Amino acid sequence: MTTGLIPGGQPPEPRPAGTLPQQRREQDGRGALHVDNRPRSSVITARAAASFEPVGRSVATARSFVRDTLQGWGFADIVDDAVVLTSELVTNAVVHAGTHADVLCLRTDDGVRIEVADRYPEREIPLQGSPASMGSPDREGGRGLQLCAAIAGRWGVDYTPTHKNVWFQLALPERPVGTRTAGPSLPANLLPLADGRVRVAVVQIDPTGAISAWNEDAEDLFGYPADQVTGKPLTDLAAWPHTPGTSTGIAEALQLSRWEGSYGIRGANGRVTPVYASHLRVRDTDGDPSTVCLLVRDHERAVLQTPSRVPASDAAPTADGQSADPFEVFIGSPAPDDLEGLLQRTVERARDMLDADSAFLLLATDDETELEVRASTGLPSARQRFARVPVEAGPGRYGSARMPAVHEDLLAVPGAVPLLNGTGMRSVVTVPLKVEGRLTGSLGVAAEAPGRYSNEEALRLQFAADRIALAVESARLGELERLRRGSLSFLVEASDLLAGTLDRDQTLALMAQMTVPTLATWCAVYTIADQASDPYLSYVLHEDEELIDGIKSLLSKIAPPDPVPTPGARVWSAPGEAAHEAALRSSMRSLGLSGGPTHQVTSGIGPTLATASAVGGETVVLPLVARNRVIGMLTLGKPTDEHFRQEILELAEDLSRRAALALDNARLYSERTAISQSLQRSLLPPELPDIDGVEVEVIYRAAGEGNEVGGDFYDLFPISDGAYGFAIGDVCGTGPNAAAVTGLARHALRLLAREGLSGPAVLERLNSAILDEGARSRFLTLLYGELRPQEDGSAELKVVCAGHPLPLRLRQDGTVEAAAEPQPLLGVMEDLELYEQTVILDPGDVLLCVTDGVTERREGTRMLGDDGLADVLTTCTGLTAGAVAARIMRAVERFASDAPSDDMAILAMRVA
C-alpha cells in the first residue's frame, strides 16, 4: 500500500475530453440513471490517497486507511458510514474485479468525498439515460452501489477507457452549540505548572516555509525582533532537523493540515528552548495556504495539547451492553498478517494507555536467548531498530524479560534497561508476551519523570500484552514464513549465478552485488591465498558508489578480521571505531584544536564524515570456508546506528557457504587452466623462420573452450643450410588426448628430419613411435615436406602425403591442382611403404595445405569439400600468403553459422 497526504490542495482538474460526466443514480419509477451536472464548488482542504493490491487482505487495510484518515481530520461522526461504503467498493475492485483499488479521500468545508477507482476497462460504459438495474441485494457483489444510494448524500460513477471510479460524498452533521470537552475540578497543586505569565508565540509560515508573522510573545521567548526573522525559513531556527522519536521533519509538519508535537528553537542567545507546538494549516481570502504555529515552553504544553483520550480502564459499552476493551479494538484494525503495523499500533496504544512518553516492543529469537527491537515510539527508532538485548540480563526478576518489572527511577539502577540508555527516560514498566508459556516478546513503556508507574500499571499493561500476544505471534510466524520463502528464492538465484561462472574476479563481484543492498548497505570481501598468507582486501561495494573509495581506504588502514573458521556471524567493531577516530581527527584539525593553525572547515571533512556515517552501524564478519579451509571472509555493514536482523544474518550465513565453494572452485579452475595453457603453449612451435624468397602464413584454431592446442598441428623448421622442413597433420579426436600425440609427432619430426633422413624414412619411424604408445595411440594423417629455394627464384618441394587432404597448388594463371598423391595414414599399420614426390613452385605460385577441419566444414547436409576449397583458392591469384590464408578462413567461417566443432589449421606458402 502506498499513501500520500496533500493538505490544502485545490479542486481536481477537469477530466479529459471524451469521458462521461459525473452520474448520479437516482431510483425513480423506471429505475433510470440521471446525470448529476452540479459543479463541485467546495474547496478541497486536504486529501489522502492510497493504492491497494488485488488481494483479500487489502479490504481490511483500506478500511483502516479510511478510518484513520477521517479520525485524523476530526470527522468521527461519519467514520462508520464511510468505512462501510469503502469496504464494499474496495471488495468489488480487489476481490470481484481482481484489479488494484485506488482510494482517494477529499476533505472539503462541508463534508468528505471518497473515490474508489478500479482498473477494469473490460466493463461496458453505460449510455446516459439507459435503463439500469441495481440487481438483487442477495448477490455476492454489486451491493456497493446500493449502499451508496442508501447512505451517501451524493454519489456517482465516472468511466474512462482504463478506470471505473465510484465516488460518494458524506455531509457533516450539524453539531449543537455546547461543550466539546471538559475536565474535573482539581486542587491547585495538581494543576499544570506555568510561568507567571504564559507566553504563546504566534508564528505564521508562508507557502515557501518562510516566517511571515512574528508576535511580541515570540520575541520575548526567543529574543529575535520580528524584522530580524521575517522572511527566514523556520527550519533555520529549529534546533533539530527532525522531531525526536519520529521520522517527520519540521518542514514536512508545516505541510500537514494539523500537527502537534515538540521540538527546539534556537534563541538569539544561542540556547535551545524546548517548545510544544500546535500547527494549523489555513488559507487566506485569495486561497493561498499558510501555517499558523502556536508555540509555548515545553513544560507549559497543557496550554495547547489536545486532551488525552479516555483511559483504557474505562471500557466503553457496546451495542449489546457488553464492555469492549479499547486496546483490543484499536489493535484489531491492522490486517492479521501486517506485523509491522500491528507492532507499531501496539506500542502507540500502550504509550497512550499509560500516558507515557515512549514505548517499545521486542520479539524473541527462536532460541529465546535474545530480544530484538521491532517497534518503538518516542525513542530514536532508527538507532534502536533490530538492536538485540539478552533475555536474562542479570539475576532476579528485574533482570529477566520473562517477568513483569517496574523501575521507578533508572538513575538509581544504571543500565537496568539498556535500550533506554541515553534517552532521558527515568521510569519504566516492562511485561512479557507469552504464548502457551513460551516467551515471544516483551512490551515496555517509559516516562521522563521518575516514579510514574507501580504494580497497578504493570497489571494493566500485562493484561493488554496477554490479549495481543497471540496475534503478534501469529503475525510473526506469517512474516517468518514469507521471509523464508523469499530467502529460498534468493539462495536459488544466488546459486545459479555463482554456478554460472568460474572466473575468480567475477565471482567476487557477484558475491558483493548479491549482498548489497539486499542484505547489507556495504560489504567487503577478504581472500586468503594459502594458510601462510594474510587476508587480502579483494573487493569493496557500497550501495552509493561515491563512498566505495572511502571505505576501501579505511579498511586498508586497519588490520583485517581474524580468519576464524567458526560458523556464524560475529561482530567486528574495528571499522566503526576507526571511522569515528578519523572523523574526529579531521574535525579537530579543521577547527585548529590539534595544535595546527585555526582555519575554516574544509571540504575534505565531507568524505571523512560520510565514510564514518556509512560504516558507523553494525558490522559483522562471516568466514568463507571451503574444503575445510578458510579461504576468506565476507564482511557486511550497516550505516550509523543500524543493526542486522537475525533472519538476515542467517540468510547471509547460507550465502557465505555457497559463495565460499564457488570462490574456491573458481580458484581451482584458474590454477588448472593456467597449468593447462602453459602445457599447451609448449606444444606449439616457436616463431616461424624467415625463408628468403618464400612467404609463409599459418592460421590455427583449436576447437573447445579454453584449448590452445588440439589434434591438428603444424610446423616449419630449418633442417640444414638452405633446406626447411614443414608439416601439417591431424590426430584423431580433439582435446588433451589428441594434443599429447600432437606433441609426440611434432618433436619427432624435428628430431628425425635433422638426422638427415628422407621424408618417407621420417614418417615410417614416426609411425612406429605412435604404435609404441599402445592403447593411448591414435591414428594420424600427415603432410610432410622439405622446401629448398632455388637460385632462379623458384622453390623445390619434396612432399609425402600420408592420408592427409592433398595440398593444392595455385598457379599465376589461376589454375588449381593437387600437388601430391594420397598415401596410407600413420598409426594403423606397422609396415608402411611411403614415397616422396617432387614439386617445383614457380615465382608467384602458392601451395595451400589444410586439415580436414577446413574441408569438412558443414551446414546441414552441405559440406565445403575439396572442390569448394579449390574454388575459393582460384580467387586468390596475386594475393600474398597472408591474404590467401585469411580469405580461406573467412570462406570457412561464412560457410556455416554454427561455431566450428573441429580443429583447423591452414598453411600457405607463396614463392615471391
Side-chain angles (χ1 to χ4, degrees), residues 163-467:
H163 287 75
K164 183 190 75 174
N165 185 33
V166 182
W167 61 271
F168 62 86
Q169 185 163 327
L170 299 173
L172 296 177
E174 296 183 1
R175 293 190 178 94
V177 178
T179 301
R180 178 175 180 268
T181 183
S185 299
L186 296 176
N189 60 344
L190 297 180
L191 296 176
L193 180 65
D195 292 341
R197 176 195 168 194
V198 177
R199 290 178 171 82
V200 180
V202 181
V203 182
Q204 192 159 2
I205 311 298
D206 64 19
T208 65
I211 298 172
S212 59
W214 185 268
N215 72 341
E216 295 180 358
D217 281 357
E219 182 176 346
D220 291 339
L221 283 174
F222 310 121
Y224 298 106
D227 57 354
Q228 186 176 347
V229 296
T230 302
K232 293 185 177 180
L234 179 62
T235 53
D236 289 353
L237 306 180
W240 303 299
H242 293 276
T243 304
T246 71
S247 59
T248 303
I250 294 177
E252 289 79 6
L254 294 175
Q255 300 298 319
L256 302 179
S257 60
R258 183 181 295 275
W259 184 86
E260 288 184 21
S262 300
Y263 51 86
I265 296 294
R266 182 173 287 106
N269 58 2
R271 296 181 179 178
V272 175
T273 301
V275 298
Y276 189 83
S278 176
H279 297 175
L280 178 66
R281 188 80 164 167
V282 298
R283 57 187 174 88
D284 57 21
T285 55
D286 296 330
D288 296 329
S290 62
T291 303
V292 177
C293 305
L294 305 180
L295 312 176
V296 297
R297 292 186 178 92
D298 193 60
H299 66 272
E300 297 172 341
R301 63 172 59 190
V303 177
L304 301 179
Q305 190 171 21
T306 301
S308 302
R309 293 189 288 269
V310 179
S313 58
D314 301 334
T318 58
D320 56 3
Q322 299 179 354
S323 62
D325 181 8
F327 187 81
E328 184 180 9
V329 173
F330 185 88
I331 297 303
S333 57
D337 56 352
D338 181 13
L339 179 62
E340 298 300 329
L342 179 61
L343 299 182
Q344 192 60 38
R345 289 179 183 271
T346 300
V347 296
E348 291 173 357
R349 183 56 180 148
R351 178 198 60 188
D352 296 342
M353 184 176 66
L354 298 185
D355 193 20
D357 296 311
S358 64
F360 51 90
L361 193 150
L362 303 87
L363 294 183
T365 56
D366 291 339
D367 56 4
E368 297 185 31
T369 60
E370 288 185 317
L371 294 168
E372 191 176 63
V373 180
R374 293 299 300 272
S376 64
T377 181
L379 297 174
S381 56
R383 178 169 65 89
Q384 303 291 350
R385 186 167 172 80
F386 299 125
R388 290 177 293 277
V389 297
V391 171
E392 306 292 343
R397 60 166 294 189
Y398 288 97
S400 174
R402 303 180 187 276
M403 299 291 292
V406 178
H407 295 275
E408 296 183 353
D409 192 350
L410 292 177
L411 293 182
V413 189
V417 184
L419 184 64
L420 300 180
N421 291 343
T423 61
M425 300 298 158
R426 297 283 297 276
S427 55
V428 60
V429 54
T430 61
V431 296
L433 275 68
K434 294 184 177 181
V435 176
E436 297 179 352
R438 184 174 59 87
L439 180 68
T440 61
S442 178
L443 176 63
V445 297
E448 297 176 352
R452 285 282 300 274
Y453 304 116
S454 62
N455 287 337
E456 181 180 354
E457 284 79 14
L459 290 174
R460 291 175 58 193
L461 189 63
Q462 184 66 71
F463 177 77
D466 293 340
R467 303 294 294 271

Side-chain angles (χ1 to χ4, degrees), residues 44 219 290 316 321 325 374 485 522 589 681 685 763 852 893:
I44 298 174
E219 182 176 346
S290 62
D325 181 8
R374 293 299 300 272
R485 291 181 181 178
W522 66 272
R589 284 197 301 269
R681 282 191 292 269
L763 268 59
D852 60 2
E893 291 175 342

Side-chain angles (χ1 to χ4, degrees), residues 206 241 316 798 812 878:
D206 64 19
K798 294 182 178 181
Q812 288 185 331

Side-chain angles (χ1 to χ4, degrees), residues 66-68 70-71 75-84 170:
V66 173
R67 179 185 295 109
D68 294 344
L70 298 189
Q71 287 178 344
F75 295 161
D77 297 331
I78 60 174
V79 165
D80 293 338
D81 290 344
V83 168
V84 169
L170 299 173

